[in-house]
């Protein structure tokens, strides 16, 4: 088994490292939040107090951080990964960050003599806990194959999306599409209700018809229709509104640099912002139904 350096032990990093420990690896974990390190230690992670300690002697290093600015700091600052890791160590950034930051990390890693993979994930906290995340990887073929045995302990699906930053591109576009599909589901759920349709009957019709989608089958925003929906639990987050807002913002920022107009994504981004402005950013993204029906069943009172 191998030694893994891990930076970022939040809601995703903590269960992901637990799966690596269960697979027999030694994981040296660091986070700026001491409580996060302590929680990870309960799952067998070896707690360390700096990035330098996390990467020392590591065969592979993972980072799982909230935003591009955090990833740039973790890799590029004097106390960061590139300044302290051995050049033989394979680096994987599993944060979901903007496309330009991902390309910058690849460029700076190469300049410093390192190999880096961008490897964002999809599946949320439940997927991280179950070890069924989807990894979208950007990087060289040989590096992907070297990383695969480590990733398999955390993944249900592994895709090599292409070269530098291709993993981030795939993740950003996928989540943008998810948000747009979900907006259609919440609008449809409210309109079906106003027409007097039974929500379970309508859901059964739509899921085998042209209105079908992943959020319809998984996140239908009416309690008692789908077992996996946050609506059954007062919209406690499986995928928080604030996180989806961030991801759709990454798509819009990337589209601007590429000269692409995204009217539907812009609309959903504004709808997510409306929830955040009402201090509801911590609710599940399917709470978008509140913008259509403020008294929707299942919402916290």
């Amino acid at each position: 088994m191998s030694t893994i350096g891990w930076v970022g032990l939040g809601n995703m990093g903590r269960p992901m490292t637990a799966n690596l420990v269960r697979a027999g690896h030694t994981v040296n974990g660091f986070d700026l939040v001491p409580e996060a390190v302590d929680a990870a230690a309960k799952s067998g992670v070896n707690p360390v107090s700096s990035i330098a300690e996390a990467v020392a002697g590591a065969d592979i290093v993972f980072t799982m951080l909230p935003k591009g600015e955090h990833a740039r700091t973790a890799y590029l600052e004097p106390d960061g990964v590139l300044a302290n890791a051995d050049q033989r160590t394979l680096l994987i950034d599993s944060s979901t960050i903007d496309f330009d930051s991902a390309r910058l990390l690849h460029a700076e890693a190469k300049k410093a003599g390192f190999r880096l993979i961008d490897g964002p994930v999809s599946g949320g906290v439940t997927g991280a806990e179950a070890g069924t995340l989807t990894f979208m990887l950007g990087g060289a073929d040989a590096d992907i194959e070297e990383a695969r045995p480590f990733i398999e302990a955390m993944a249900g699906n592994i895709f090599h999306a292409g070269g530098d930053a291709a993993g981030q591109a795939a993740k950003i576009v996928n989540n943008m599409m998810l948000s747009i599909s979900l907006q259609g589901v919440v609008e449809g759920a409210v309109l079906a209700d106003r027409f007097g349709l039974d929500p379970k009957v309508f859901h059964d019709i739509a899921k085998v018809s042209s209105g079908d989608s992943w959020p319809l089958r998984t996140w239908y925003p009416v309690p008692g229709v789908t077992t996996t929906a946050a609506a059954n639990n007062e919209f406690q987050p499986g995928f928080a509104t604030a996180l989806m807002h961030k991801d759709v913002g990454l798509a819009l920022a990337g589209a601007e640099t590429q000269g692409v107009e995204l009217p539907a994504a812009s609309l959903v981004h504004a709808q997510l912002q409306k929830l955040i402005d009402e201090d509801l950013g911590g609710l599940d993204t399917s709470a978008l139904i509140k913008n259509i029906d403020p008294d929707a069943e299942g919402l916290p009172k």
Side-chain angles (χ1 to χ4, degrees):
M1 293 293 103
S2 301
T3 298
I4 298 170
W6 193 284
V7 180
L9 295 166
N11 291 335
M12 294 293 290
R14 193 160 55 248
M16 291 169 76
T17 53
N19 284 323
L20 288 169
V21 171
R22 277 193 284 271
H25 299 293
T26 297
V27 181
N28 297 322
F30 171 71
D31 196 287
L32 289 173
V33 179
E35 291 80 7
V37 179
D38 293 342
K42 294 177 181 176
S43 298
V45 170
N46 180 38
V48 298
S49 57
S50 68
I51 290 177
E53 286 186 71
V55 305
D59 300 295
I60 190 167
V61 168
F62 286 86
T63 50
M64 175 57 93
L65 301 161
K67 297 180 179 180
E69 62 199 72
H70 304 117
R72 292 193 302 271
T73 296
Y75 278 92
L76 305 180
E77 291 297 311
D79 59 351
V81 174
L82 298 185
N84 290 280
D86 189 296
Q87 287 182 337
R88 293 172 297 180
T89 303
L90 179 60
L91 311 176
I92 302 180
D93 180 38
S94 284
S95 319
T96 296
I97 62 175
D98 59 286
F99 184 69
D100 290 343
S101 287
R103 289 197 297 184
L104 174 66
L105 292 184
H106 275 280
E108 292 299 317
K110 287 178 182 177
K111 190 186 301 182
F114 285 91
R115 298 165 299 137
L116 184 139
I117 296 169
D118 57 285
V121 302
S122 179
V125 175
T126 54
E129 291 172 345
T132 58
L133 293 170
T134 293
F135 277 74
M136 292 155 269
L137 307 177
D141 291 348
D143 297 337
I144 301 297
E145 290 311 305
E146 182 178 337
R148 190 176 295 273
F150 299 94
I151 293 172
E152 285 173 345
M154 303 177 283
N157 296 288
I158 302 171
F159 294 99
H160 185 184
D164 295 358
Q168 290 295 348
K171 172 66 185 292
I172 290 167
V173 175
N174 178 75
N175 279 17
M176 179 199 75
M177 293 169 64
L178 167 62
S179 71
I180 294 169
S181 297
L182 178 60
Q183 182 67 26
V185 170
V186 301
E187 293 183 17
V190 174
L191 185 58
D193 174 73
R194 295 298 188 272
F195 282 154
L197 293 170
D198 179 279
K200 185 68 169 65
V201 172
F202 172 71
H203 177 266
D204 288 346
I205 293 169
K207 74 179 181 181
V208 296
S209 303
S210 55
D212 186 33
S213 66
W214 188 90
L216 179 130
R217 284 178 272 113
T218 311
W219 287 357
Y220 199 75
V222 176
V225 176
T226 58
T227 59
T228 53
N232 299 326
N233 189 30
E234 294 192 324
F235 291 86
Q236 291 304 300
F239 194 139
T241 291
L243 292 178
M244 183 66 84
H245 181 266
K246 182 200 85 167
D247 287 358
V248 179
L250 294 178
L252 291 172
E256 185 173 355
T257 66
Q258 302 304 312
V260 178
E261 186 176 355
L262 302 176
S266 297
L267 182 151
V268 179
H269 195 248
Q271 290 293 299
L272 293 163
Q273 183 64 55
K274 186 176 178 181
L275 292 180
I276 291 170
D277 291 343
E278 296 176 9
D279 294 325
L280 300 176
L283 292 183
D284 189 78
T285 305
S286 56
L288 279 168
I289 194 172
K290 185 181 188 301
N291 294 334
I292 312 301
D293 179 5
D295 299 316
E297 188 180 357
L299 287 164
K301 304 303 181 184

